[in-house]
Amino acid sequence: MDCRRFLSRLWKWGVVALAGATVWTSWELLRPTGGQVSGPIATVPLDTIPSESVLEVPTIRGYLTEVDGTTVSLNWKCPHLGCKVPWCESSGQFECPCHGSVFNRAGE
Ligand code: FES
């Protein structure tokens, strides 16, 4: 086999391998799960969710609170640049330590 033919075959097999990897990755990403989630799910009793403060839940990377009788789930990631926004008990609001953004319990 000459060098030109070898490189041509190598190129074609590379394309086939790339196409296979693309299909495999797409299938893993898009395949139906039947509504089932793999891994443990943390549950929080509703009566432990505070109405004047927030409950930090690390497994959801966020907070649970109650606003106007509705349970609200908030991600702790700041929409500005992604810092974790802690709850400040003394001010009663979320205060981002990175650039000073402030959010109320509804996340506004
Ligand atoms: S990352 Fe929160 S204000 Fe910039």
Side-chain angles (χ1 to χ4, degrees):
M1 181 183 310
D2 65 354
C3 184
R4 179 178 293 249
R5 178 172 276 176
F6 172 76
L7 289 175
S8 176
R9 284 187 179 173
L10 186 65
W11 172 251
K12 289 175 185 171
W13 279 108
V15 169
V16 168
L18 184 63
T22 301
V23 169
W24 179 267
T25 304
S26 298
W27 171 250
E28 284 298 309
L29 184 67
L30 300 174
R31 71 186 163 109
T33 60
Q36 297 191 356
V37 178
S38 62
I41 298 174
T43 57
V44 177
L46 284 176
D47 58 349
T48 62
I49 299 173
S51 59
E52 298 298 322
S53 181
V54 299
L55 175 67
E56 184 172 333
V57 184
T59 54
I60 64 167
R61 296 176 169 255
Y63 304 97
L64 292 175
T65 187
E66 186 180 307
V67 178
D68 298 331
T70 304
T71 301
V72 176
S73 171
L74 299 166
N75 190 314
W76 65 31
K77 190 174 173 184
C78 182
H80 179 224
L81 290 179
C83 293
K84 180 184 176 186
V85 183
W87 171 255
C88 180
E89 284 292 344
S90 59
S91 68
Q93 54 192 3
F94 294 99
E95 297 177 358
C96 184
C98 294
H99 308 102
S101 290
V102 176
F103 308 93
N104 63 17
R105 272 188 318 110
E108 301 166 336

